[in-house]
């Protein structure tokens, strides 16, 4: 069923932070033509997690409404070293690394997007052709003062931290991506808002040709990690990977704090908003146990990236492993354990258990790790550890149980 522009706008607006400007987007929707919706991805790693999928799921909504997704892989900047809003530069990647990561990204993203309605492209196609004259002309569009208004640049500048000249070029390059693909809309995380607005300006200016109708901007919320405290990310080991096995994915969902259940339902599932509101009210009143809400959440998420049968089996496995009515075996825990790499800093030397838990991302901090140990909730293999300062030596194959539902199997990398 074809939806009116107003109906489309209501669906698009849900769960967004910024929609700039809303009246222009409504006018674009009223035109009746399929819009070009741009999204850029950084191929600095081979895997994506469900936090990455928050904006990608919004892209799928646009596809379902009849619009075209233009997915730009930032291979040009990845081979230089892309800061992407971070406080320091990311390492440069080789062409082979970029191509391997791009293939992996495409496969995983296609679990959500319809490949037949997605234009996959690389920004090296146009950025790699810019001459020195072109780049200099691009730099004339913005001042240093304007670039320093970007929050992360401003913070680093005030702290006396270095900012390379190439980092100043990246917002201009990202903006030029919008010109190259003639984007009608660009989606990004809240931390990308400045760069997205640069795209609007470059389109309006017509820096390398005729001015274009400027793109509208949608920024999306950032999903908190399974620790309930920090942004989801692999470096903190608080992520749920799209390619993880169903049991592991389900177990990670069951480990999230009760306080973020609603956010996960909102951003990571297709459960209707009114149903989520009822569940929240029932949890607040005590009519619904948060554990049962998380079981529903786990089934919903696993079904999205695997299938309904796998989600049901993962639920049953989890209930069996953590049932109070039977004694668990190592095989039970192995079935639901997440793979956690041993960082170089912890290899080959004794380390306090509380330090190890924090460094492995199995506790939000050393303080939390101490409380977990003192509460009797930490096991190394089958042995309970009661002293937060007990020294252990980590080795691949060990099982670490933390709290009621977190099980990790240590791996070399």
């Amino acid at each position: 069923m074809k939806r009116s522009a107003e109906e489309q706008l209501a669906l698009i607006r849900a769960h967004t932070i910024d929609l700039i400007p809303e009246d222009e987007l409504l006018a674009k929707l009223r035109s009746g033509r399929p819009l070009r919706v741009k999204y850029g991805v950084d191929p600095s790693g081979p895997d994506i997690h469900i936090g990455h999928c928050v904006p990608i799921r919004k892209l799928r909504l646009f596809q379902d409404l009849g619009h075209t997704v233009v997915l730009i892989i930032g291979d040009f900047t990845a081979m230089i070293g892309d800061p992407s809003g971070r406080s320091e530069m990311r390492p440069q990647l080789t062409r082979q690394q970029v191509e391997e990561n791009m293939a992996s990204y495409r496969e995983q993203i296609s679990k959500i997007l319809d490949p037949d309605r997605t234009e996959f492209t690389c920004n090296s196609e146009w950025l790699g052709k810019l001459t020195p004259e072109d780049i200099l002309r691009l730099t004339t569009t913005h001042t240093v003062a304007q670039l320093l208004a970007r929050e992360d640049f401003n913070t680093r500048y005030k702290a006396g931290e270095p900012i390379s000249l190439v980092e100043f070029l990246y917002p201009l390059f990202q903006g030029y991506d919008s010109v190259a693909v003639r984007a009608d809309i660009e989606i990004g995380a809240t931390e990308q808002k400045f760069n997205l607005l640069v795209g609007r300006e470059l389109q309006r200016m017509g820096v390398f040709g005729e001015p274009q109708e400027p793109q509208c901007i949608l920024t999306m919320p950032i999903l908190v990690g399974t620790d309930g405290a920090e942004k989801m990310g692999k470096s903190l080991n608080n992520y749920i990977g799209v390619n993880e096995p169903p049991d592991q994915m389900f177990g990670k969902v069951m480990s999230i704090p009760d306080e973020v259940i609603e956010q996960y339902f909102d951003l990571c599932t297709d459960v209707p908003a009114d149903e989520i509101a009822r569940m929240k009210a029932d949890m607040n009143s005590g009519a619904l146990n948060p554990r049962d809400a998380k079981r529903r959440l786990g089934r919903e998420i696993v079904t999205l990236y695997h299938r309904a049968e796998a989600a049901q089996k993962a639920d049953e496995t989890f209930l069996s492993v953590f049932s109070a009515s039977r004694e668990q075996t190592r095989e039970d825990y192995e079935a639901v354990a997440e793979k956690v790499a041993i960082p170089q800093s912890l290899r080959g030397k004794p380390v306090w258990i509380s330090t190890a838990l924090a460094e492995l991302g199995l506790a939000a901090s050393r303080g939390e790790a101490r409380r977990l140990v003192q509460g009797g909730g930490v096991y190394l293999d089958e042995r309970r550890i009661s002293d937060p300062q007990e020294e252990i030596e980590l080795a691949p194959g060990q099982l670490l149980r933390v709290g009621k539902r977190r099980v990790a199997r240590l791996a070399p990398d």
Side-chain angles (χ1 to χ4, degrees):
M1 179 183 71
K2 187 172 178 61
R3 296 182 182 272
S4 69
E6 289 75 14
E7 289 173 327
Q8 291 186 55
L9 183 63
L11 292 170
I12 292 166
R13 190 190 296 116
H15 307 312
T16 61
I17 302 297
D18 299 294
L19 203 171
I20 305 172
E22 187 168 315
D23 60 338
E24 287 187 20
L25 177 56
L26 182 59
K28 289 176 186 285
L29 294 170
R30 283 175 174 164
S31 72
R33 65 180 175 85
L35 302 181
R36 294 176 61 76
V37 187
K38 170 196 169 192
Y39 181 67
V41 296
D42 167 31
S44 60
D47 299 316
I48 65 174
H49 52 64
I50 65 171
H52 293 129
C53 294
V54 173
I56 296 172
R57 283 166 48 77
K58 182 67 76 173
L59 294 173
R60 179 56 195 245
L61 170 65
F62 275 101
Q63 288 185 327
D64 292 342
L65 294 173
H67 304 292
T68 299
V69 167
V70 183
L71 197 144
I72 299 176
I73 296 173
D75 63 328
F76 182 83
T77 44
M79 288 186 292
I80 298 173
D82 185 359
S84 298
R86 295 189 170 206
S87 59
E88 58 184 31
M89 291 282 285
R90 289 183 180 179
Q92 296 179 8
L93 301 181
T94 65
R95 166 52 64 180
Q96 181 179 352
Q97 288 173 311
V98 168
E99 289 179 352
E100 289 173 354
N101 292 345
M102 283 165 48
S104 177
Y105 264 50
R106 184 165 183 160
E107 182 270 327
Q108 292 171 76
I109 289 172
S110 294
K111 291 185 176 185
I112 304 171
L113 297 181
D114 180 351
D116 294 334
R117 288 182 287 174
T118 306
E119 293 182 13
F120 288 93
T121 187
C122 297
N123 64 5
S124 60
E125 291 182 20
W126 49 85
L127 294 181
K129 296 176 182 177
L130 293 178
T131 65
E133 179 184 353
D134 293 330
I135 294 172
L136 288 174
R137 188 181 304 165
L138 199 58
T139 64
T140 66
T141 63
H142 286 74
T143 67
V144 171
Q146 287 175 303
L147 293 169
L148 283 176
R150 200 175 96 166
E151 184 177 357
D152 61 323
F153 285 168
N154 188 263
T155 299
R156 289 163 60 188
Y157 179 73
K158 288 181 177 178
E161 297 174 1
I163 303 172
S164 70
L165 291 177
V166 73
E167 291 180 80
F168 277 160
L169 289 175
Y170 284 174
L172 303 179
F173 286 159
Q174 183 175 335
Y176 183 60
D177 290 347
S178 297
V179 174
V181 301
R182 303 189 71 88
D184 292 299
I185 303 166
E186 183 170 9
I187 294 179
T190 52
E191 60 194 22
Q192 287 285 310
K193 182 178 176 179
F194 180 93
N195 293 8
L196 274 55
L197 291 171
V198 169
R200 272 181 64 84
E201 288 303 308
L202 293 182
Q203 286 177 308
R204 195 195 320 271
M205 292 175 181
V207 62
F208 293 133
E210 292 296 319
Q212 298 177 10
E213 183 179 308
Q215 66 184 13
C216 296
I217 303 302
L218 263 70
T219 63
M220 302 296 297
I222 295 172
L223 184 69
V224 71
T226 54
D227 56 3
E230 301 288 342
K231 172 184 174 181
M232 183 173 285
K234 295 197 73 173
S235 62
L236 295 175
N237 196 34
N238 64 352
Y239 69 99
I240 301 174
V242 166
N243 270 354
E244 290 182 350
D247 288 341
Q248 184 173 321
M249 183 177 284
F250 190 92
K252 286 188 175 183
V253 173
M254 294 301 293
S255 75
I256 68 172
D258 296 348
E259 293 75 21
V260 299
I261 294 174
E262 181 184 12
Q263 185 193 42
Y264 273 63
F265 267 113
D266 275 338
L267 301 181
C268 305
T269 78
D270 296 322
V271 176
D274 58 347
E275 192 172 342
I276 296 171
R278 284 197 299 272
M279 282 192 286
K280 180 182 178 182
D282 288 343
M283 284 190 287
N284 289 339
S285 69
L288 176 64
N289 189 319
R291 170 173 160 150
D292 294 329
K294 280 191 270 191
R295 286 179 57 205
R296 165 79 184 277
L297 177 63
R299 292 193 300 270
E300 293 284 347
I301 290 176
V302 173
T303 298
L304 282 174
Y305 302 105
H306 295 282
R307 60 187 189 282
E309 295 82 1
Q312 185 61 38
K313 183 178 178 183
D315 187 7
E316 293 169 357
T317 299
F318 186 89
L319 286 179
S320 173
V321 170
F322 293 100
S323 170
S325 63
R326 62 184 287 272
E327 184 176 350
Q328 286 77 36
T329 65
R330 183 182 177 92
E331 288 71 25
D332 290 328
Y333 291 122
E334 287 275 9
V336 297
E338 58 187 282
K339 179 181 176 182
V340 176
I342 304 173
Q344 190 66 42
S345 60
L346 299 181
R347 296 182 187 180
K349 63 180 181 182
V351 61
W352 286 359
I353 182 64
S354 54
T355 300
L357 294 178
E359 292 292 320
L360 291 168
L362 299 175
S365 65
R366 288 179 174 82
E368 182 191 12
R370 285 194 297 272
R371 290 189 292 273
L372 287 166
V373 173
Q374 290 166 346
V378 175
Y379 289 78
L380 179 60
D381 291 325
E382 283 74 42
R383 183 173 67 87
R384 175 183 284 177
I385 297 181
S386 56
D387 181 0
Q389 295 184 6
E390 178 176 332
E391 289 189 334
I392 61 170
E393 189 162 331
L394 301 178
Q398 290 175 327
L399 277 181
L400 267 171
R401 282 187 281 147
V402 183
K404 293 181 179 179
R405 303 184 183 97
R406 194 83 185 263
V407 184
R409 179 170 58 82
L410 301 185
D413 52 39

PDB file of all heavy atoms in Angstrom, residues 55 114 187 217 260 284 388:
ATOM      1  N   PRO A  55      20.961   2.723  12.354  1.00  0.00           N
ATOM      2  CA  PRO A  55      20.694   3.500  11.138  1.00  0.00           C
ATOM      3  C   PRO A  55      20.399   2.631   9.918  1.00  0.00           C
ATOM      4  O   PRO A  55      19.633   3.039   9.034  1.00  0.00           O
ATOM      5  CB  PRO A  55      21.966   4.327  10.942  1.00  0.00           C
ATOM      6  CG  PRO A  55      23.030   3.587  11.678  1.00  0.00           C
ATOM      7  CD  PRO A  55      22.352   2.937  12.833  1.00  0.00           C
ATOM      8  N   ASP A 114      17.625  -4.683   1.341  1.00  0.00           N
ATOM      9  CA  ASP A 114      17.330  -5.404   0.107  1.00  0.00           C
ATOM     10  C   ASP A 114      18.426  -5.059  -0.898  1.00  0.00           C
ATOM     11  O   ASP A 114      18.513  -3.909  -1.351  1.00  0.00           O
ATOM     12  CB  ASP A 114      15.961  -4.971  -0.423  1.00  0.00           C
ATOM     13  CG  ASP A 114      15.584  -5.690  -1.717  1.00  0.00           C
ATOM     14  OD1 ASP A 114      16.438  -6.379  -2.292  1.00  0.00           O
ATOM     15  OD2 ASP A 114      14.418  -5.545  -2.142  1.00  0.00           O
ATOM     16  N   ILE A 187      21.742   9.875   6.343  1.00  0.00           N
ATOM     17  CA  ILE A 187      21.531   9.352   7.692  1.00  0.00           C
ATOM     18  C   ILE A 187      22.879   9.134   8.351  1.00  0.00           C
ATOM     19  O   ILE A 187      23.816   8.642   7.726  1.00  0.00           O
ATOM     20  CB  ILE A 187      20.744   8.027   7.649  1.00  0.00           C
ATOM     21  CG1 ILE A 187      19.311   8.278   7.131  1.00  0.00           C
ATOM     22  CG2 ILE A 187      20.690   7.360   9.021  1.00  0.00           C
ATOM     23  CD1 ILE A 187      18.474   7.027   7.024  1.00  0.00           C
ATOM     24  N   ILE A 217      18.764  15.961   6.626  1.00  0.00           N
ATOM     25  CA  ILE A 217      19.628  15.263   7.579  1.00  0.00           C
ATOM     26  C   ILE A 217      18.790  14.493   8.593  1.00  0.00           C
ATOM     27  O   ILE A 217      17.862  15.043   9.193  1.00  0.00           O
ATOM     28  CB  ILE A 217      20.514  16.275   8.343  1.00  0.00           C
ATOM     29  CG1 ILE A 217      21.337  17.117   7.371  1.00  0.00           C
ATOM     30  CG2 ILE A 217      21.397  15.567   9.362  1.00  0.00           C
ATOM     31  CD1 ILE A 217      22.231  16.320   6.467  1.00  0.00           C
ATOM     32  N   VAL A 260      17.969  -0.841  30.260  1.00  0.00           N
ATOM     33  CA  VAL A 260      18.083  -0.547  28.827  1.00  0.00           C
ATOM     34  C   VAL A 260      17.211  -1.462  27.970  1.00  0.00           C
ATOM     35  O   VAL A 260      17.306  -1.438  26.744  1.00  0.00           O
ATOM     36  CB  VAL A 260      19.562  -0.626  28.358  1.00  0.00           C
ATOM     37  CG1 VAL A 260      20.398   0.402  29.099  1.00  0.00           C
ATOM     38  CG2 VAL A 260      20.137  -2.014  28.528  1.00  0.00           C
ATOM     39  N   ASN A 284       7.261  -2.103  35.341  1.00  0.00           N
ATOM     40  CA  ASN A 284       7.243  -1.135  36.444  1.00  0.00           C
ATOM     41  C   ASN A 284       6.270  -1.548  37.541  1.00  0.00           C
ATOM     42  O   ASN A 284       6.516  -1.294  38.733  1.00  0.00           O
ATOM     43  CB  ASN A 284       6.878   0.255  35.920  1.00  0.00           C
ATOM     44  CG  ASN A 284       7.985   0.879  35.090  1.00  0.00           C
ATOM     45  OD1 ASN A 284       9.153   0.492  35.202  1.00  0.00           O
ATOM     46  ND2 ASN A 284       7.642   1.842  34.253  1.00  0.00           N
ATOM     47  N   PRO A 388      39.197 -10.372  45.162  1.00  0.00           N
ATOM     48  CA  PRO A 388      39.365  -9.525  43.971  1.00  0.00           C
ATOM     49  C   PRO A 388      40.818  -9.330  43.566  1.00  0.00           C
ATOM     50  O   PRO A 388      41.092  -8.975  42.422  1.00  0.00           O
ATOM     51  CB  PRO A 388      38.736  -8.192  44.387  1.00  0.00           C
ATOM     52  CG  PRO A 388      37.850  -8.507  45.544  1.00  0.00           C
ATOM     53  CD  PRO A 388      38.500  -9.665  46.245  1.00  0.00           C
TER      54      PRO A 388
END
